[in-house]
Amino acid sequence: MNKLMKDYCQERGAMYMTGARIILEMLRSYGVEYVFGLPGETTLGWYSEWKDFPDVKYILARDERSASFMAEAYARATNKPGVFEVPSPGVTHCVPGIAEAFKGSTPVICFSSDIPYNWDKRNMLTGCDQPALFSGIVKESMTVTKAEDIPFLLRRAFRIATTDRPGPVHIRIPQDIFYQNADVKDIYAQKEFARFPSHRSIAEYEAMTKAIDLLSEAKNPLMCLGQGALFSRAWGEAVELAEVLSVPVGTTMTGKGAFPESHPLSIGVIGARGGTSFSNSFVEEADVIFYVGSNTDSATTNAWRLPDPASGKRFIQLDIAGVDVGNMYSLDVVLIGDAKATLREMVKIAKKKGRFPIRKREAEIKRKRAYFEKELNKYIDSDESLINPLFFIRELSRKLPSQSHIICDPGVGGIYTAAFFRQEEAGRRLYFNYSMGALGYALPGAIGVAASEPGRCTVVMTGDGSMGFTCGELETISRLGWNIKVFLFQNDSFGWIRGEESLICGFGPFATDFAPVDYSKVAEGFGIRAYKVKDHEELPQVLTEVFSTTTPCFITLRVTTQDKLVPPVPKWVAVGRQRGLKCIY
């Protein structure tokens, strides 16, 4: 029968192959280089064909959650959809990464294998209603019921993932589909949807003109670039528009890199996650704020108090989709379109209009920054036995190889890096999962980032709270041997929650502290060279040694908890100052 079917297919110019092979042929046609995942019984039929596809590399993770974070970070690093696969027993484990991709508008394609269709109704082991599980955190969930539908469904998945507001797509594959033979004639990719943004729309001309008029007439205008501007790679256009109009530019935490922080109009990160007294002062003083690719979330706006919607300020918002435009602020101008394409047109409009008021904002920024950095020195030059995070960031900036990637977990590493690490050049070099903010993101995420450039140095900023979630991926890092450096900030607690309990809730610590662990020995057990930094004098030499190698390294730094040394979180700082605590803001 198989021979007859093959002969029939050849006569019609079709190809006769298994569902497993069809998937791999489609992934190869889209230029997919890596699939992150781990094995399960429901996926074995897929692996049986993989040996013939060495160009579609499989990266074995140690947890489904990790695989999802790897794919999400890889997508951010490459502007290509991140692809991962999970078996039905672990399908619930990958929710954190998919939720981060959905809230952060990151294109990810999740393949989940499953028991045969409708066998969950028989209560077969590992079966559950997968589409219902993912329905609230994906753009679309599909189930393959026939192998011949796979090319059509994968083209649809790539289109959905990379257009409009990008995001994750789920494809459920019952295990018998991998073995099912099909007569297929449509194995081809729509290459324009293999990257994102796949198509660039432009806002209405009249709205863009109105926005330019509003910005040019303002006394203290401000631009705020979010992750959408970074995804759009709009930094060149943002610089040009800022220079034409002499507008200071800040970024959100997740948008860091959308504007070069060496530029004289840069004020760095704003808001409650990474904002400082220096950068946030420009938000307070602004009379017109132009949000580009930002959803004006609570982190960016200090829970919508910075700025206050009733402050009398005027607002412009540019976003790829309308769902969050004007969500929290009454807008004077609505712009729906791609950030890069729309800002490019706005530059043309501004230049046609000619002369604009001379604001001398560069001199103002320089003066304020000089005063701010002078004030910071009292916190940098600390003689404490514990490692001061601000001191660490200063030394890291001096030693870090150029063009390195930095990926951060929430906590000490994330907040100080966002606020005080100065990214001189524009582009995606820093990664924060502050759309959802789940712990345990940075370690697996670093593997996804490193996959985009295996020779490039990738730095992980994590804490001992996060390490408890994903320390198994140290084995993956060791096995791959890539140039990944893990910095662990150890304070033997869930320090962020401890800080919130103490500074805001007025009690604690409660359910935050855990026993100390020798994480260096854990890393060595996985075959990774480990260091313990005992004091500030030792730090520069350790950094020099770590960055002189291209192999994985693990560095432990003892730090204090956030309720004792208060990081730049405005509501914490207000309480900390009242109590006479040391506050870095």
Side-chain angles (χ1 to χ4, degrees):
M1 182 65 182
N2 282 346
K3 184 177 184 304
L4 290 174
M5 179 61 77
K6 289 178 182 178
D7 291 342
Y8 170 72
C9 291
Q10 287 174 359
E11 290 175 7
R12 298 175 62 243
M15 290 179 283
Y16 185 70
M17 60 183 71
T18 64
R21 189 172 190 90
I22 296 170
I23 297 169
L24 291 163
E25 291 282 3
M26 287 297 296
L27 293 179
R28 181 160 62 185
S29 71
Y30 272 97
V32 173
E33 297 178 283
Y34 294 98
V35 175
F36 307 91
L38 68 167
E41 290 182 359
T42 51
T43 326
L44 297 181
W46 193 359
Y47 299 159
S48 64
E49 297 276 6
W50 218 304
K51 63 183 181 301
D52 296 328
F53 293 82
D55 46 342
V56 183
K57 302 176 184 66
Y58 192 94
I59 293 186
L60 172 64
R62 300 299 300 271
D63 182 272
E64 290 88 354
R65 169 179 47 198
S66 294
S68 68
F69 282 146
M70 291 175 193
E72 193 272 349
Y74 176 83
R76 289 210 249 169
T78 61
N79 272 55
K80 297 191 291 185
V83 180
F84 75 100
E85 66 89 9
V86 296
S88 62
V91 73
T92 58
H93 298 175
C94 65
V95 167
I98 297 176
E100 179 67 30
F102 184 70
K103 292 289 289 184
S105 301
T106 307
V108 165
I109 295 177
C110 165
F111 290 94
S112 66
S113 58
D114 201 0
I115 58 177
Y117 193 61
N118 278 335
W119 281 30
D120 56 319
K121 309 299 190 297
R122 307 182 186 189
N123 296 317
M124 184 176 179
L125 182 67
T126 81
C128 72
D129 190 342
Q130 293 186 8
L133 173 68
F134 291 118
S135 62
I137 53 172
V138 296
K139 292 183 72 176
E140 186 167 316
S141 177
M142 314 174 190
T143 296
V144 179
T145 57
K146 295 182 295 182
E148 65 190 56
D149 289 341
I150 291 171
F152 164 76
L153 292 176
L154 261 64
R155 283 192 295 274
R156 179 176 177 84
F158 275 88
R159 287 198 307 273
I160 292 171
T162 61
T163 56
D164 300 318
R165 183 175 177 174
V169 176
H170 168 235
I171 303 175
R172 172 194 183 197
I173 308 177
Q175 65 186 86
D176 51 312
I177 296 295
F178 294 124
Y179 301 97
Q180 190 180 101
N181 290 300
D183 165 12
V184 288
K185 297 186 291 184
D186 61 338
I187 293 184
Y188 66 88
Q190 293 176 293
K191 292 295 180 68
E192 61 268 38
F193 300 102
R195 302 184 72 90
F196 67 96
S198 56
H199 287 75
R200 297 184 182 273
S201 58
I202 300 175
E204 291 185 357
Y205 186 86
E206 288 184 5
M208 291 188 289
T209 302
K210 186 178 178 181
I212 292 295
D213 289 340
L214 194 56
L215 289 166
S216 63
E217 293 165 4
K219 183 179 179 181
N220 292 311
L222 175 68
M223 285 177 61
C224 173
L225 306 178
Q227 182 162 245
L230 200 53
F231 274 144
S232 183
R233 303 194 172 200
W235 43 83
E237 291 74 13
V239 167
E240 195 168 2
L241 185 61
E243 290 176 346
V244 169
L245 299 177
S246 189
V247 178
V249 181
T251 74
T252 67
M253 189 182 199
T254 54
K256 191 175 176 76
F259 197 83
E261 293 182 330
S262 58
H263 195 283
L265 286 169
S266 170
I267 62 170
V269 173
I270 65 170
R273 298 294 187 273
T276 63
S277 58
F278 162 72
S279 61
N280 286 340
S281 69
F282 287 86
V283 182
E284 293 166 351
E285 296 165 4
D287 54 351
V288 174
I289 302 179
F290 180 21
Y291 289 105
V292 179
S294 167
N295 62 6
T296 62
D297 65 336
S298 61
T300 299
T301 62
N302 191 24
W304 308 286
R305 292 190 292 268
L306 185 72
D308 185 332
S311 62
K313 300 181 190 295
R314 306 184 74 180
F315 299 99
I316 306 165
Q317 191 171 358
L318 164 61
D319 202 83
I320 190 64
V323 62
D324 286 318
V325 174
N327 195 38
M328 293 304 301
Y329 294 97
S330 177
L331 300 179
D332 291 86
V333 184
V334 173
L335 299 167
I336 305 296
D338 171 73
K340 185 180 184 71
T342 300
L343 292 182
R344 185 191 301 129
E345 291 303 310
M346 291 180 70
V347 169
K348 293 178 183 177
I349 294 170
K351 287 182 174 180
K352 283 182 182 178
K353 285 183 170 290
R355 299 175 64 86
F356 295 99
I358 299 174
R359 298 195 178 98
K360 299 182 179 179
R361 301 309 297 275
E362 293 94 337
E364 178 189 0
I365 293 169
K366 184 177 181 181
R367 175 180 55 81
K368 283 188 173 182
R369 187 188 298 280
Y371 176 80
F372 173 68
E373 291 180 349
K374 182 180 178 181
E375 290 294 300
L376 281 182
N377 285 336
K378 67 180 69 173
Y379 300 111
I380 292 177
D381 299 323
S382 172
D383 58 359
E384 297 173 4
S385 58
L386 298 175
I387 300 300
N388 183 296
L390 199 54
F391 177 84
F392 169 77
I393 292 296
R394 184 182 70 174
E395 293 302 314
L396 178 70
S397 300
R398 293 172 176 173
K399 303 289 186 179
L400 187 69
S402 63
Q403 300 298 301
S404 295
H405 297 276
I406 302 177
I407 183 165
C408 305
D409 268 312
V412 171
I415 195 71
Y416 284 96
T417 301
F420 302 113
F421 182 88
R422 196 172 183 190
Q423 185 175 330
E424 301 286 334
E425 75 291 343
R428 176 77 79 175
R429 291 294 169 192
L430 283 102
Y431 305 77
F432 305 92
N433 65 320
Y434 262 87
S435 294
M436 286 295 291
L439 296 182
Y441 170 78
L443 197 65
I447 297 167
V449 171
S452 70
E453 296 181 280
R456 189 81 66 186
C457 178
T458 300
V459 170
V460 176
M461 302 282 213
T462 190
D464 44 0
S466 287
M467 184 57 62
F469 285 77
T470 55
C471 69
E473 299 310 330
L474 289 173
E475 185 279 325
T476 309
I477 290 172
S478 178
R479 172 172 19 102
L480 293 170
W482 287 344
N483 189 4
I484 297 175
K485 316 299 183 187
V486 181
F487 290 88
L488 178 107
F489 298 91
Q490 182 172 3
N491 53 26
D492 303 326
S493 75
F494 291 113
W496 198 274
I497 304 304
R498 181 177 170 133
E500 187 78 4
E501 287 179 352
S502 173
L503 297 169
I504 304 302
C505 300
F507 65 84
F510 179 80
T512 59
D513 298 353
F514 38 79
V517 173
D518 191 336
Y519 294 99
S520 294
K521 288 185 178 178
V522 173
E524 288 172 344
F526 284 112
I528 297 175
R529 184 184 302 178
Y531 301 80
K532 290 181 183 178
V533 179
K534 300 182 180 66
D535 53 44
H536 287 171
E537 290 185 2
E538 192 178 51
L539 180 61
Q541 179 55 40
V542 169
L543 291 176
T544 298
E545 185 174 338
V546 163
F547 290 126
S548 68
T549 72
T550 58
T551 55
C553 295
F554 187 96
I555 307 93
T556 303
L557 306 108
R558 293 286 313 188
V559 297
T560 191
T561 53
Q562 287 92 321
D563 57 321
K564 296 178 181 177
L565 178 63
V566 183
V569 179
K571 66 176 182 178
W572 289 6
V573 169
V575 176
R577 284 175 174 168
Q578 290 177 358
R579 297 184 185 177
L581 299 174
K582 187 180 290 186
C583 302
I584 303 179
Y585 180 60

